[in-house]
């Protein structure tokens, strides 16, 4: 009877991931400890799997998006009430969305057990920008912009792929563009070579121009090893060109 109950998730094994900290940076590797505790009967565990998840908007719904996923550990047997610990290194992708505005990120750990409801553990985490995006945001701060909102949305042209991007919306509260722009929308993309940034520069115009959307201009910048000062100069020139 105990084995039958375990197969439907009653008295099954449990899993818990112990994070040394809950604030991570994009591109960072963090060592965690995965604890597996046996249930009321012996069970065969095929793998321990991980997924770093967020939510993103589509035209008509909100979906769960996979930032990254992987699995570790060879198959093993966990006995009744037995405890086992596995050291695991988790790599946070460079293009992980930052946790700001409406963007939440969490780590899900699960056990792959045949004929059973797989046990899961969910841990919310804070994701800070990696070095390049951090420098870019510092450059915007130097130009007087502050972050107003952040949200993940389905990537254009990816209806069935599940791909999504994060849109960051900044407003000028001081500096050279205060009063000249309504907002600056930014879609950053980290690549192995650098940081690509799509910009929507929303100029402050009259009612008619805003209704016709002729006050918006798209642009794109790419950075490799530039620091915040070089990014600030490039941003200023690009915004001035469109403002």
């Amino acid at each position: 009877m105990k084995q039958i109950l375990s197969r439907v998730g009653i008295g099954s094994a449990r899993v818990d991931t112990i994070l040394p900290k809950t604030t991570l940076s994009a591109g960072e590797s963090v060592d965690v400890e995965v604890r597996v505790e046996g249930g009321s009967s012996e069970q065969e565990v095929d793998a321990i799997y991980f997924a770093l998840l967020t939510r993103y908007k589509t035209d008509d719904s909100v979906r769960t998006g996979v930032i990254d996923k992987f699995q570790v550990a060879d198959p093993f047997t966990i006995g009744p009430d037995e405890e086992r610990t596995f050291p695991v290194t988790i790599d946070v992708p460079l293009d992980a969305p930052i946790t700001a505005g409406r963007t939440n990120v969490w780590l899900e750990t699960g056990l792959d057990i045949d004929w059973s409801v797989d046990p899961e553990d969910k841990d919310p985490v804070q994701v800070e920008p990696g070095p390049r995006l951090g420098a870019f945001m510092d450059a915007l701060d130097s130009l007087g912009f502050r972050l107003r909102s952040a949200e993940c949305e389905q990537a254009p042209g990816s209806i069935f792929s599940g791909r999504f991007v994060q849109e960051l919306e900044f407003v000028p509260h001081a500096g050279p563009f205060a009063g000249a722009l309504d907002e600056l929308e930014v879609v950053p993309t980290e690549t192995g070579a650098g940081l690509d940034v799509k910009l929507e520069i929303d100029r402050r115009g009259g009612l008619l121009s805003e209704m016709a959307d002729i006050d918006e201009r798209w642009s794109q910048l790419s950075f490799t090893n530039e620091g915040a000062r070089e990014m600030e100069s490039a941003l200023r020139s690009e915004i001035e060109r469109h403002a």
Side-chain angles (χ1 to χ4, degrees), residues 42-146:
E42 182 178 280
Q43 288 184 289
E44 298 292 331
V45 180
D46 291 333
I48 303 173
Y49 60 84
F50 300 86
L52 199 61
L53 305 171
T54 189
R55 292 187 176 87
Y56 68 96
K57 284 198 326 179
T58 69
D59 289 338
D60 55 7
S61 65
V62 176
R63 301 179 185 177
T64 298
V66 178
I67 301 167
D68 196 17
K69 62 180 179 180
F70 63 98
Q71 67 178 39
V72 298
D74 295 325
F76 63 93
T77 301
I78 187 78
D81 300 321
E82 179 186 1
E83 294 184 3
R84 297 189 62 174
T85 300
F86 299 87
V88 178
T89 299
I90 293 175
D91 297 321
V92 183
L94 262 178
D95 60 353
I98 63 172
T99 48
R102 297 182 180 179
T103 303
N104 296 315
V105 176
W106 67 96
L107 176 68
E108 184 172 289
T109 310
L111 301 180
D112 186 1
I113 302 175
D114 283 344
W115 309 103
S116 174
V117 177
D118 292 344
E120 294 180 349
D121 174 47
K122 297 181 180 180
D123 297 284
V125 295
Q126 299 293 312
V127 179
E128 296 183 339
R132 290 194 185 102
L133 181 57
F136 179 81
M137 294 178 71
D138 286 343
L140 283 172
D141 182 68
S142 296
L143 289 172
F145 288 90
R146 63 175 174 82

Side-chain angles (χ1 to χ4, degrees), residues 12-33:
S12 182
R14 294 185 292 274
V15 62
D16 186 23
T17 294
I18 308 300
L19 291 157
K21 56 183 180 178
T22 57
T23 298
L24 311 175
S25 296
E28 179 184 6
S29 295
V30 58
D31 295 327
V32 305
E33 185 178 89

Side-chain angles (χ1 to χ4, degrees), residues 132 193-195 223-228 230-231:
R132 290 194 185 102
L195 176 69
F223 303 101
T224 51
N225 296 318
E226 292 88 347
E230 291 84 1
M231 290 183 178

Side-chain angles (χ1 to χ4, degrees), residues 162-175:
R163 290 189 62 250
F164 55 90
V165 295
Q166 186 175 40
E167 183 179 270
L168 308 175
E169 186 178 289
F170 295 85
V171 292
H173 67 97

Side-chain angles (χ1 to χ4, degrees), residues 138-191:
D138 286 343
L140 283 172
D141 182 68
S142 296
L143 289 172
F145 288 90
R146 63 175 174 82
L147 182 64
R148 180 166 65 184
S149 66
E151 194 167 27
C152 290
E153 299 182 5
Q154 181 173 279
S158 61
I159 298 175
F160 302 108
S161 69
R163 290 189 62 250
F164 55 90
V165 295
Q166 186 175 40
E167 183 179 270
L168 308 175
E169 186 178 289
F170 295 85
V171 292
H173 67 97
F177 302 108
L181 298 181
D182 279 340
E183 62 187 17
L184 180 69
E185 294 181 4
V186 176
V187 177
T189 304
E190 287 274 11
T191 68

Side-chain angles (χ1 to χ4, degrees), residues 164-235:
F164 55 90
V165 295
Q166 186 175 40
E167 183 179 270
L168 308 175
E169 186 178 289
F170 295 85
V171 292
H173 67 97
F177 302 108
L181 298 181
D182 279 340
E183 62 187 17
L184 180 69
E185 294 181 4
V186 176
V187 177
T189 304
E190 287 274 11
T191 68
L195 176 69
D196 293 337
V197 181
K198 290 184 175 62
L199 306 173
E200 183 181 288
I201 301 164
D202 192 349
R203 301 177 300 173
R204 185 179 296 276
L207 177 60
L208 292 178
S209 64
E210 292 200 9
M211 290 175 61
D213 284 337
I214 62 175
D215 59 330
E216 296 178 353
R217 294 293 184 271
W218 280 96
S219 181
Q220 181 167 325
L221 294 172
S222 295
F223 303 101
T224 51
N225 296 318
E226 292 88 347
R229 182 169 296 181
E230 291 84 1
M231 290 183 178
E232 179 184 343
S233 177
L235 270 168

